[in-house]
Amino acid sequence: MLKKNVDNSNFLWVTRGEKWGFRYLSKCSLLTSHIDFIYKKLFLSDESRLGYWKGNIVINKESKYQYVACRCYDDTCIQKDEAGRRIPHEFLLLCSVDDCNMLANLPWGALIIDKIRNQYLELLHCSSNEVGDCLIDFSLEASLESGEREFCDSSSLDLFVSSTPAKPNHSNQKFVIYVLWGIILVFLIFCLAYYHHSLRHPPEECQRIIDNRENGEIR
């Protein structure tokens, strides 16, 4: 039998409700600063694509966590949104290597849903404003016998996270500088040309030329 403590520190839970869209209900505090990146890598696919995953989360080539994750439905209590679509639950659980290897062969998501269903049903029919940024504070112990659930297969997926800031794109900066220098150069050429012209043709001379041309003269 596997007994696993599940709480807000090691458990990610994302789902939606009847009237509200996908949001975190538990945010796995051990991964807080990277949770958005990790979530997108794992779950930003067709929400109807159910599945189980396992692997490592490597942060800055140093911190390493083992995880199992899944996207599943509650088959005991069918939940749908206003459009009539079934509502999936997306879970990620950090665990030891041994626990990860055992859970990877079991549909553990169904067990978690059994444990948290009542808390979820309290939010299911709420409006988006009522739910807000609600995080459910909970702690539970999940127990699972290897033979009491059917076998399933988890896909392997390792996630690599880096906190190193991205290098600035200097090529764009250089292009802007070149354009500015080009504008300045054109302006200077225009100013020099105007100055040179004004030396050859003072304002009075320019007016005389205009008057002459109006009188039919060409010089």
Side-chain angles (χ1 to χ4, degrees), residues 174-185:
K174 289 181 180 179
F175 175 76
V176 173
I177 292 174
Y178 291 152
V179 170
L180 290 175
W181 274 113
I183 293 173
I184 293 172
L185 183 60

Side-chain angles (χ1 to χ4, degrees), residues 147-204:
E148 70 182 31
R149 301 266 182 180
E150 70 274 17
F151 174 85
C152 78
D153 188 22
S154 296
S155 302
S156 295
L157 178 63
D158 290 337
L159 303 174
F160 298 89
V161 184
S162 174
S163 297
T164 305
K167 293 182 179 180
N169 189 345
H170 293 297
S171 61
N172 289 339
Q173 296 177 4
K174 289 181 180 179
F175 175 76
V176 173
I177 292 174
Y178 291 152
V179 170
L180 290 175
W181 274 113
I183 293 173
I184 293 172
L185 183 60
V186 170
F187 178 73
L188 289 175
I189 292 173
F190 174 80
C191 291
L192 288 173
Y194 178 79
Y195 178 71
H196 179 70
H197 179 78
S198 64
L199 290 178
R200 292 181 57 192
H201 302 287
E204 313 85 50

